[in-house]
Amino acid sequence: MQHLLNRNLIRYNMNLFTQEEVFENIASLAVEYGIATNKNAVINGLKHREKEGTTGFFDGFAIPHTQVNEIIRPGIIILVNQSGIEWNSLDGNPAKFFISLLIPEKQRGTTHLEVLAAISRLLMQEEIRAALLNAKDEGEIYSIIKNNLEL
């Protein structure tokens, strides 16, 4: 499953202000890198999932995710924003570190659950959250996740 993680799909030091902008950037990267065929389908899927319940985690992390037919291969897209964005997070704090999971609809119950569980386990570790928040660039983020994500 390590193939889900691609250094080119990590963006550091973003300057976004709304959930919509986060979703648009995720969807644009998904189409650009061949994860999805339709930007709007990905945006709508992410929005729909967020309406079901927040994907905001703790300490500024969120895990926006979706499974739609227009996603043709699974992928993880990571955006790190300069400042926090309101996300209805579990701890009430704004989110600035987004680990987005995009999964083809047909892999909804398998790949989706495995990867989502692995990311959640990773973010439950305070030292990993701290390391990610203190990372200085895309390469450091990639290394931390690659070396600690258990799939």
Side-chain angles (χ1 to χ4, degrees):
M1 285 292 186
Q2 289 291 356
H3 66 279
L4 293 176
L5 194 60
N6 178 336
R7 193 174 186 280
N8 294 323
L9 294 173
I10 300 173
R11 295 293 186 271
Y12 180 77
N13 214 15
M14 303 284 294
N15 197 21
L16 308 174
F17 299 99
T18 66
Q19 198 173 69
E20 176 83 20
E21 287 180 304
V22 171
F23 293 161
E24 284 180 15
N25 275 268
I26 290 168
S28 291
L29 283 168
V31 171
E32 180 182 344
Y33 283 88
I35 293 170
T37 59
N38 184 293
K39 180 178 168 181
N40 287 331
V42 174
I43 292 170
N44 290 335
L46 290 166
K47 284 182 184 177
H48 178 75
R49 171 57 190 84
E50 208 64 43
K51 285 179 186 160
E52 292 175 357
T54 186
T55 60
F57 204 65
F58 299 101
D59 294 340
F61 286 86
I63 313 171
H65 55 279
T66 190
Q67 317 87 42
V68 294
N69 287 323
E70 292 81 1
I71 296 171
I72 53 176
R73 66 177 179 87
I76 296 172
I77 295 176
I78 300 171
L79 304 180
V80 184
N81 206 46
Q82 290 179 13
S83 57
I85 296 172
E86 177 50 48
W87 211 269
N88 288 324
S89 297
L90 297 175
D91 63 1
N93 291 323
K96 66 178 277 186
F97 201 111
F98 305 95
I99 302 176
S100 183
L101 175 58
L102 304 176
I103 301 291
E105 175 69 34
K106 63 183 181 288
Q107 296 178 21
R108 172 183 284 271
T110 55
T111 306
H112 170 70
L113 295 176
E114 291 169 22
V115 179
L116 191 58
I119 292 170
S120 297
R121 281 193 304 273
L122 182 75
L123 293 181
M124 292 299 287
Q125 301 173 58
E126 189 172 340
E127 66 277 8
I128 299 291
R129 291 196 312 270
L132 288 169
L133 288 171
N134 290 317
K136 301 294 183 237
D137 58 32
E138 291 90 346
E140 198 173 335
I141 293 165
Y142 176 80
S143 294
I144 293 166
I145 294 177
K146 183 177 185 295
N147 294 331
N148 291 284
L149 189 62
E150 296 173 14
L151 288 171

